[in-house]
């Protein structure tokens, strides 16, 4: 049976940062977004409010800013190699993140079968964020179920990779999980734990298990 590998983005594929912080860095608004990241991590605000507030910060955002943020972000090493290996094994890989879809979806170009993020309007913005399109921890499970149906696998065939509170629901749903540079929210929940800068090393923890 094929497996489905589900990857978080912020703090997992991106080391020590989030897509919104990297986008805001291009606008000179890094500190403001780091503060928002702290608020959502502490549970002081939810995903819809977070999305609305970064959308407001990004009034001057252009496609060039997004490209620069993506290309200069601190990605873990060997992401593309891991996904090529997964594909070569006849398995599937997908990214599911609360970050903006216009950033997350770029990862299909690196070999992900699918990439889901919170739905934002096209850049540059001419309309507000629709809160119904903003993802949550619970939404990650729903998307995982949709992907299982699409690829002909079940939850029992899934491996999740994540680092924080937004991954907690998914980690509680699938049988195998890898905590990647994770915070306290995933303590005791993950099947495996990895600290480092190379996704291949994290993938090796589950590469030969079926």
């Amino acid at each position: 049976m094929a497996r489905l590998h589900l990857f978080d983005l912020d703090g997992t594929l991106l080391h020590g940062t989030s897509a919104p912080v990297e986008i805001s860095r291009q606008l000179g608004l890094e500190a403001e977004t780091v503060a928002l990241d702290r608020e959502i991590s502490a549970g002081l605000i939810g995903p819809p409010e977070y999305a609305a507030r970064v959308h407001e910060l990004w009034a001057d955002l252009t496609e060039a800013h997004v490209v620069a943020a993506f290309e200069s972000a601190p990605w873990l090493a060997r992401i593309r190699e891991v996904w090529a290996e997964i594909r070569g094994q006849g398995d599937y890989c997908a990214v599911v993140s609360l970050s903006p879809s216009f950033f997350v979806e770029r990862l299909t170009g690196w070999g992900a079968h699918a990439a889901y993020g919170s739905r934002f309007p096209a850049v540059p913005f001419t309309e507000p964020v629709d809160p119904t399109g903003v993802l949550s921890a619970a939404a990650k499970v729903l998307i995982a179920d949709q992907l299982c149906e699409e690829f002909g696998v079940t939850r029992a065939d899934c491996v999740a990779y994540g680092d924080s509170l937004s991954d907690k629901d998914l980690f509680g749903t699938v049988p195998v999980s890898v905590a990647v540079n994770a915070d306290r929210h995933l303590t005791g929940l993950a099947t495996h734990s990895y600290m480092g800068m190379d996704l291949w090393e994290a993938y090796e923890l589950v590469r030969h298990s079926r």
Side-chain angles (χ1 to χ4, degrees):
M1 175 67 73
R3 290 195 297 178
L4 170 58
H5 296 258
L6 297 158
F7 295 89
D8 172 55
L9 174 64
D10 302 323
T12 303
L13 298 178
L14 287 174
H15 184 261
T17 188
S18 68
V21 168
E22 295 307 304
I23 293 166
S24 293
R25 194 189 309 278
Q26 300 299 318
L27 297 166
L29 297 168
E30 177 185 359
E32 290 87 340
T33 311
V34 167
L36 285 177
D37 276 8
R38 291 197 186 108
E39 287 188 54
I40 195 168
S41 293
L44 300 176
I45 60 174
E49 182 178 350
Y50 180 96
R53 288 170 67 178
V54 293
H55 176 274
E56 185 177 343
L57 284 176
W58 295 340
D60 298 323
L61 187 66
T62 66
E63 182 67 13
H65 290 129
V66 178
V67 171
F70 188 89
E71 292 180 349
S72 63
W75 299 100
L76 291 196
R78 296 198 283 181
I79 294 173
R80 280 169 277 201
E81 288 84 349
V82 168
W83 292 349
E85 165 83 4
I86 288 171
R87 282 177 168 270
Q89 294 291 327
D91 293 337
Y92 302 96
C93 52
V95 182
V96 185
S97 170
L98 274 58
S99 277
S101 52
F102 61 77
F103 190 96
V104 181
E105 289 167 1
R106 291 176 175 272
L107 288 166
T108 58
W110 285 13
H113 287 91
Y116 287 85
S118 294
R119 288 198 307 274
F120 270 64
V123 176
F125 300 143
T126 58
E127 54 189 279
V129 177
D130 180 353
T132 64
V134 177
L135 300 189
S136 63
K140 284 191 172 188
V141 176
L142 296 177
I143 291 171
D145 285 341
Q146 292 169 15
L147 290 169
C148 283
E149 184 174 353
E150 179 180 344
F151 296 133
V153 299
T154 69
R155 286 184 179 181
D157 307 308
C158 291
V159 182
Y161 304 75
D163 76 303
S164 64
L165 182 61
S166 71
D167 305 299
K168 191 172 182 178
D169 288 6
L170 189 58
F171 273 42
T173 300
V174 303
V176 180
S177 55
V178 183
V180 179
N181 299 314
D183 65 22
R184 60 182 176 80
H185 293 104
L186 299 185
T187 301
L189 288 179
T191 314
H192 304 278
S193 183
Y194 172 73
M195 299 291 289
M197 291 289 293
D198 190 332
L199 188 64
W200 187 276
E201 294 174 355
Y203 171 60
E204 279 279 11
L205 297 172
V206 296
R207 183 183 179 198
H208 299 296
S209 63
R210 287 285 172 175

